[in-house]
Amino acid sequence: MIDASESSATRSTRAAAPSVAPTLSAPLSAQLKHRVSSSLLADQVFEALRGWIAQGEWEPGKQLRIREVAAQVGTSDMPVREAFRRLEQAGLIVVEPYRGATVRVLSIDELEHVYDIRIMLEPAAARDGVERCDDGVLEQMHHHWGLLQAASERGDVVEAVRQDEHLLMALYSAGPNDVLLKMVRELWDTCRPYKSLWVTNAIEHGLATWSHITHLLDAVERHDSDAAHSILDRTYRDARATVRQLLDTQSGRNQ
């Protein structure tokens, strides 16, 4: 309702006001574009460096210097700094004051500890997920299984690990315990170098080494939560033994 005390000139001025928000000024638009581009570049550098570590092109203990890495990937220092920060968060490198960054050295003790916890948590998460999942969850798992097989066939370790995690998280997320999911995600950050070692070995030996996933999918389809629990328990115990053997072999070569 218009106030009668307003002058006709005031009302005319208000009516003439634009009804849409003003567009961004050119300098601000340019700044936003620069930020988006920088973020995308940092993402690309992170993926490249993570791939080098996962595929063994950078061996454990290798010292990393920002300027040298920037020259390798053809960028300025800034995207590499951001990539290093994310690699440290993912547990793939160690950054120490005055010493710089190094590729994290894998140890059998850490392997044992991290897989002990995986064996405690993930089969339980799978059981909870199977008990509450629907056809949509199974569809997601089959989708990621297809992408995992494609990555394995072309030898893409990083993508195979990613799709394996997506497949499992689709099942785990059907369960009710968000705290458990958070713990599993954090655990994966710690154990990803060990998972990458297992995946590299699995890719070298063909898709038959992924048979546990087909068994898991079958258990989910049958809503057999006990079978899903048993499959992951056995899988992680076997994976731990395989990675332990691989680490022993690497240690023998480095002596």
Side-chain angles (χ1 to χ4, degrees):
M1 182 175 182
I2 299 176
D3 190 334
S5 64
E6 286 185 332
S7 68
S8 59
T10 302
R11 289 196 297 271
S12 176
T13 301
R14 287 193 351 178
S19 59
V20 295
T23 57
L24 291 172
S25 65
L28 182 54
S29 298
Q31 289 175 29
L32 291 175
K33 183 177 179 181
H34 173 71
R35 290 175 186 172
V36 171
S37 299
S38 298
S39 177
L40 291 174
L41 184 57
D43 289 343
Q44 293 170 354
V45 173
F46 169 72
E47 292 298 335
L49 303 190
R50 184 168 70 168
W52 291 350
I53 293 173
Q55 296 171 21
E57 295 183 38
W58 282 353
E59 295 182 353
K62 175 180 174 62
Q63 189 167 16
L64 306 175
R65 295 180 174 83
I66 289 176
R67 289 187 178 179
E68 291 178 1
V69 174
Q72 281 184 276
V73 297
T75 70
S76 64
D77 292 356
M78 190 59 68
V80 176
R81 290 184 189 277
E82 173 62 17
F84 274 22
R85 184 187 67 79
R86 293 169 60 185
L87 289 169
E88 183 181 24
Q89 288 179 339
L92 296 175
I93 67 173
V94 177
V95 179
E96 297 179 284
Y98 308 112
R99 296 189 60 185
T102 55
V103 178
R104 187 156 68 90
V105 176
L106 306 185
S107 75
I108 291 179
D109 283 346
E110 184 179 51
L111 167 72
E112 297 286 350
H113 296 158
V114 78
Y115 271 83
D116 280 348
I117 301 173
R118 290 196 76 186
I119 291 166
M120 289 172 58
L121 297 183
E122 293 190 51
R127 173 183 280 154
D128 288 345
V130 171
E131 289 175 351
R132 293 166 175 81
C133 72
D134 55 21
D135 291 342
V137 170
L138 187 60
E139 184 178 346
Q140 288 181 55
M141 294 177 71
H142 275 290
H143 171 69
H144 292 300
W145 173 224
L147 294 176
L148 194 162
Q149 291 178 84
S152 181
E153 287 172 343
R154 66 176 182 269
D156 189 338
V157 173
V158 174
E159 184 63 16
V161 171
R162 181 186 292 113
Q163 294 303 329
D164 179 63
E165 292 181 357
H166 286 332
L167 184 153
L168 292 171
M169 191 51 66
L171 176 60
Y172 300 166
S173 296
N177 194 330
D178 290 339
V179 175
L180 176 58
L181 298 181
K182 181 175 183 292
M183 293 173 68
V184 169
R185 288 190 180 98
E186 291 174 351
L187 183 63
W188 283 350
D189 283 341
T190 301
C191 75
R192 195 165 287 119
Y194 301 97
K195 292 171 66 177
S196 296
L197 194 59
W198 185 91
V199 168
T200 300
N201 181 72
I203 287 175
E204 290 173 355
H205 290 84
L207 290 173
T209 53
W210 302 97
S211 60
H212 65 280
I213 294 183
T214 60
H215 296 319
L216 179 62
L217 289 169
D218 180 63
V220 174
E221 189 168 7
R222 292 184 287 107
H223 293 281
D224 190 339
S225 58
D226 288 337
H229 184 284
S230 297
I231 289 164
L232 286 192
D233 181 273
R234 182 172 61 254
T235 296
Y236 293 150
R237 292 181 189 276
D238 290 346
R240 178 173 59 185
T242 299
V243 177
R244 185 192 303 120
Q245 184 177 10
L246 293 170
L247 290 175
D248 281 339
T249 301
Q250 285 185 354
S251 176
R253 285 200 305 261
N254 293 334
Q255 288 179 354

